[in-house]
Amino acid sequence: QDVNIDTVGFQEEINCKELMFGMSVEPLTGIFHRSHLITFVPRYIVKNVLLYPIKIIPLYGSFVNVKGATKLLARQTPKDNVNTTTLRDQVVTLQPGESTILWYFVDAKSQHVHIHQDPSTTTSKTKKNKWTQQKSLRIVCIQVDIPRWEKWHLIPTDTFGVSSYSIRDGIFDRISYMITAQVLQSGPTRVVSISKTSI
């Protein structure tokens, strides 16, 4: 992919085959004032600040396709077809305090690795309804890795801010845990932080 290295302040996503990076261009000072510093960093990072392990899978597609993919994932068996196995292989477990880099998003419809252009972000005023209506979304799906807490929660990475999700006990359908997902921008990197919140 061609990149612009002459524009100071440039921050962009770079797609290289099946991997994506963040890139920034900054000016140097002193004897290097005629030079630019080109930095390549991870584009997406997920942090687990919970006291429990979590499972994550990065999916791309419409809200309906992503939700359908998580339902398919929940009822997998060893006899499932090759596409389901491919989807299953993309699941990553993060222990408490761990972080991971997302190098790509899996196409929720075809369940294969898919690299695409960065979707446009939405404003905070339209975030609640807008992200479910977009045709193309990058969504980090998380599941708290505890028996009976099997629901997958969908976190859109195309909007910044904080979202809360309730986890029910699976027996009496009572809320037993609340988690918060915060999407932050740090240069060209987006950080998705998962933490506990009060009920």
Side-chain angles (χ1 to χ4, degrees):
Q1 178 180 336
D2 294 334
V3 296
N4 185 348
I5 62 174
D6 297 320
T7 304
V8 173
F10 178 80
Q11 293 185 355
E12 191 58 77
E13 176 180 304
I14 304 299
N15 294 326
C16 181
K17 293 186 178 180
E18 292 186 350
L19 300 178
M20 57 186 175
F21 305 87
M23 172 188 161
S24 64
V25 181
E26 304 172 71
L28 296 178
T29 59
I31 61 174
F32 299 105
H33 69 279
R34 293 174 182 248
S35 301
H36 293 162
L37 174 65
I38 315 298
T39 305
F40 293 93
V41 295
R43 177 60 170 158
Y44 290 92
I45 296 176
V46 179
K47 297 170 57 178
N48 180 14
V49 195
L50 295 174
L51 298 177
Y52 300 102
I54 61 173
K55 293 179 180 179
I56 67 169
I57 180 169
L59 295 176
Y60 165 77
S62 69
F63 177 77
V64 172
N65 286 338
V66 170
K67 192 172 182 179
T70 59
K71 289 182 178 180
L72 181 65
L73 190 63
R75 62 174 186 264
Q76 287 177 359
T77 67
K79 296 180 180 180
D80 284 335
N81 60 37
V82 65
N83 280 349
T84 305
T85 303
T86 301
L87 180 64
R88 192 182 205 173
D89 290 342
Q90 309 305 319
V91 176
V92 176
T93 299
L94 285 183
Q95 298 299 324
E98 288 186 343
S99 302
T100 190
I101 298 171
L102 303 182
W103 296 111
Y104 53 79
F105 282 72
V106 179
D107 190 321
K109 190 172 183 179
S110 66
Q111 301 160 28
H112 292 292
V113 172
H114 181 66
I115 295 297
H116 47 82
Q117 296 300 316
D118 189 7
S120 301
T121 57
T122 59
T123 62
S124 58
K125 292 182 179 179
T126 60
K127 178 181 64 174
K128 183 174 293 186
N129 296 321
K130 183 72 174 179
W131 79 274
T132 61
Q133 298 171 359
Q134 289 179 331
K135 293 182 179 180
S136 300
L137 297 165
R138 286 176 175 174
I139 298 176
V140 175
C141 305
I142 68 165
Q143 180 189 72
V144 180
D145 194 11
I146 290 182
R148 298 192 303 273
W149 292 4
E150 299 175 351
K151 181 179 178 180
W152 286 91
H153 301 276
L154 279 53
I155 303 169
T157 62
D158 305 321
T159 54
F160 305 118
V162 179
S163 302
S164 296
Y165 303 84
S166 62
I167 298 178
R168 299 182 179 273
D169 61 11
I171 299 177
F172 302 104
D173 199 32
R174 295 178 301 195
I175 296 177
S176 56
Y177 205 70
M178 291 286 294
I179 59 175
T180 293
Q182 186 173 22
V183 182
L184 303 171
Q185 184 84 18
S186 178
T189 301
R190 292 183 184 179
V191 180
V192 181
S193 179
I194 312 300
S195 60
K196 183 179 183 294
T197 188
S198 301
I199 298 178

